Amino acid sequence: MIVYICKMEKVEIKLLNKWYPLKYQNKLKGRYLIQDDILPLLNNLPSSFDVNKIGESFLKKDIYSVSFGNGNKKILIWTQMHGNESTGTKALFDLLNFFATKHELSKIANQILETCTIVCVPIINPDGATAYTRVNAQNIDLNRDVIDKKAIESSILQDILKEINPDYCFNMHDQRTIFSVGENNNPATISFLAPSVDQERTLTDGRKQTMEVIVSMNNLLQKIMPNQVGRYTDEFYPTATGDNFQKMGHNTILIESGHFKDDYQREQTRKFTFYALLQGINFIARENDKNNYKAYFDIPNNEKLYLDIILKNVNYKDKKEDIGILFKEKLIEGQLYFMPKLEITGNLSSYNANKIVNNSGLSFLNKIELEKWLKNEFN
Ligand SMILES: [Zn+2]
């Protein structure tokens, strides 16, 4: 007897590297991304993509879902639950381009479309996106509102969750520059979490499956940006979205897009986020793949050892100190500015930074003087 096994394709990095610069969604750029930016793109999708209005935000902005694929495995992806975390939205539209166009990797795309149905909700918090805030217009953190559902956007997300009943969810976030990969001094360009379902952090079958997907994404990312992937603490958060969705039986993968050297617009990170998403989805689509979930625990924990700027050996308040700076993004009349703010002083030898100024010969009497100088130097 001859048994034919239909072999599912793997994501070839070489081909993906060739595809990406030509076909990524170049109409979305930068950090400040609002609903108006994505509406024309949703309108332009081919007819095989089903675009539906699924509700309105607190300030009456339309929220849409995009569905595609015909398979039994259901996948739900949402972005910008925190309004100022836009990298996942850019990566998601790169993913839509991947499925909307024909190319050398179409075989993978077709296999995924046959095995999976993918439903995306880009910018679930459009009011927060417009205001460039983490919270929604009622000052509610949607990622802590899953039980109370005080925000209309939380109900919209849970309604579609019930409707789709997904096997897997991708919960897309951004993290600040400060997160490093363990103590190896690299920025955590991408971090993952397989959320816990209880205080004991029990390794349920669902969590193990979530971890397996993360292991496959990590394996791919290590090939293109070694040692820049971190893992979040799996401490149980009773009101967090991922923890509760996972508890309800929907395997939920948290992706946090973070800093990459000199990439303040997060255009490199966006590419890595897209690669990770595609790899994760393809792993889910491939029936016969198995990973050892235990490798999830080999991904180093996120630490907070990375800064935007370190000034070494500064005379500060009459002491020799290192000065650690983080940028804070500020929206002024529709433009995003990166404001340098003092984060930490002391001996910062265990820290790394995007920019390190050695032996600056600088001297500041106080914080006001320091921040005034920073503003002139780095704005
Ligand atoms: Zn977030």
Side-chain angles (χ1 to χ4, degrees), residues 68-232:
F68 55 101
N70 306 300
N72 291 329
K73 293 180 184 173
K74 305 282 193 313
I75 298 174
L76 177 64
I77 310 170
W78 64 92
T79 73
Q80 266 172 284
M81 162 174 259
H82 291 142
N84 56 357
E85 299 177 3
S86 58
T87 307
T89 304
K90 292 189 287 185
L92 176 61
F93 277 87
D94 294 342
L95 186 80
L96 292 178
N97 268 13
F98 183 83
F99 286 102
T101 54
K102 278 211 161 37
H103 44 75
E104 282 180 89
L105 288 155
S106 287
K107 222 171 163 182
I108 288 184
N110 292 336
Q111 286 173 348
I112 291 173
L113 295 174
E114 278 163 26
T115 35
C116 302
T117 301
I118 303 174
V119 181
C120 318
V121 184
I123 316 191
I124 182 76
N125 175 12
D127 300 337
T130 303
Y132 202 76
T133 55
R134 179 180 180 84
V135 291
N136 83 339
Q138 302 156 281
N139 210 25
I140 296 167
D141 181 341
L142 300 187
N143 204 22
R144 293 289 179 273
D145 187 44
V146 69
I147 307 287
D148 295 345
K149 287 192 271 178
K150 283 186 185 143
I152 178 81
E153 296 87 355
S154 300
S155 298
I156 292 170
L157 182 60
Q158 286 183 48
D159 285 350
I160 195 151
L161 181 86
K162 280 201 196 94
E163 189 193 320
I164 308 300
N165 191 22
D167 303 288
Y168 287 89
C169 299
F170 289 87
N171 180 9
M172 309 297 293
H173 289 259
D174 271 54
Q175 61 187 348
R176 291 175 300 147
T177 308
I178 196 163
F179 291 103
S180 58
V181 174
E183 288 166 12
N184 82 5
N185 270 339
N186 285 332
T189 302
I190 301 281
S191 295
F192 294 114
L193 172 67
S196 293
V197 298
D198 52 29
Q199 304 285 0
E200 294 73 32
R201 311 180 189 192
T202 307
L203 284 176
T204 59
D205 287 346
R207 278 197 83 201
K208 287 178 188 169
Q209 288 159 4
T210 305
M211 287 171 183
E212 286 186 0
V213 179
I214 291 173
V215 168
S216 86
M217 295 191 289
N218 179 52
N219 288 344
L220 180 111
L221 289 176
Q222 292 300 338
K223 291 178 192 155
I224 49 174
M225 50 152 201
N227 306 315
Q228 295 197 58
V229 180
R231 171 167 64 90
Y232 261 93

Side-chain angles (χ1 to χ4, degrees), residues 176-361:
R176 291 175 300 147
T177 308
I178 196 163
F179 291 103
S180 58
V181 174
E183 288 166 12
N184 82 5
N185 270 339
N186 285 332
T189 302
I190 301 281
S191 295
F192 294 114
L193 172 67
S196 293
V197 298
D198 52 29
Q199 304 285 0
E200 294 73 32
R201 311 180 189 192
T202 307
L203 284 176
T204 59
D205 287 346
R207 278 197 83 201
K208 287 178 188 169
Q209 288 159 4
T210 305
M211 287 171 183
E212 286 186 0
V213 179
I214 291 173
V215 168
S216 86
M217 295 191 289
N218 179 52
N219 288 344
L220 180 111
L221 289 176
Q222 292 300 338
K223 291 178 192 155
I224 49 174
M225 50 152 201
N227 306 315
Q228 295 197 58
V229 180
R231 171 167 64 90
Y232 261 93
T233 163
D234 61 355
E235 185 188 334
F236 179 62
Y237 287 95
T239 59
T241 308
D243 305 48
N244 280 282
F245 284 13
Q246 181 76 46
K247 201 169 154 184
M248 290 156 74
H250 314 286
N251 294 337
T252 301
I253 296 134
L254 177 82
I255 303 184
E256 296 268 359
S257 304
H259 184 72
F260 185 80
K261 176 85 175 150
D262 292 332
D263 181 30
Y264 281 96
Q265 299 307 321
R266 301 219 162 148
E267 293 300 317
Q268 287 297 316
T269 303
R270 161 251 189 111
K271 178 177 118 172
F272 299 134
T273 306
F274 157 70
Y275 280 34
L277 256 182
L278 179 62
Q279 170 75 0
I281 292 169
N282 196 44
F283 180 82
I284 292 167
R286 292 162 54 101
E287 302 281 344
N288 45 4
D289 265 5
K290 272 281 162 227
N291 260 337
N292 186 351
Y293 75 90
K294 286 178 184 159
Y296 172 80
F297 295 101
D298 297 337
I299 303 172
N301 272 316
N302 265 13
E303 300 289 342
K304 287 181 173 176
L305 290 173
Y306 202 88
L307 296 158
D308 286 311
I309 306 162
I310 294 176
L311 308 173
K312 292 271 193 191
N313 286 316
V314 174
N315 273 315
Y316 183 63
K317 295 180 175 175
D318 288 334
K319 261 174 41 190
K320 275 260 186 257
E321 303 245 57
D322 300 332
I323 306 269
I325 311 292
L326 278 180
F327 290 128
K328 200 169 167 52
E329 303 112 70
K330 202 169 174 189
L331 185 71
I332 303 170
E333 291 173 0
Q335 278 278 341
L336 206 57
Y337 296 87
F338 292 84
M339 312 291 218
K341 297 277 177 203
L342 175 63
E343 173 72 15
I344 186 171
T345 61
N347 177 355
L348 302 184
S349 54
S350 57
Y351 284 74
N352 197 358
N354 192 72
K355 185 183 173 75
I356 296 179
V357 183
N358 285 309
N359 301 317
S360 61

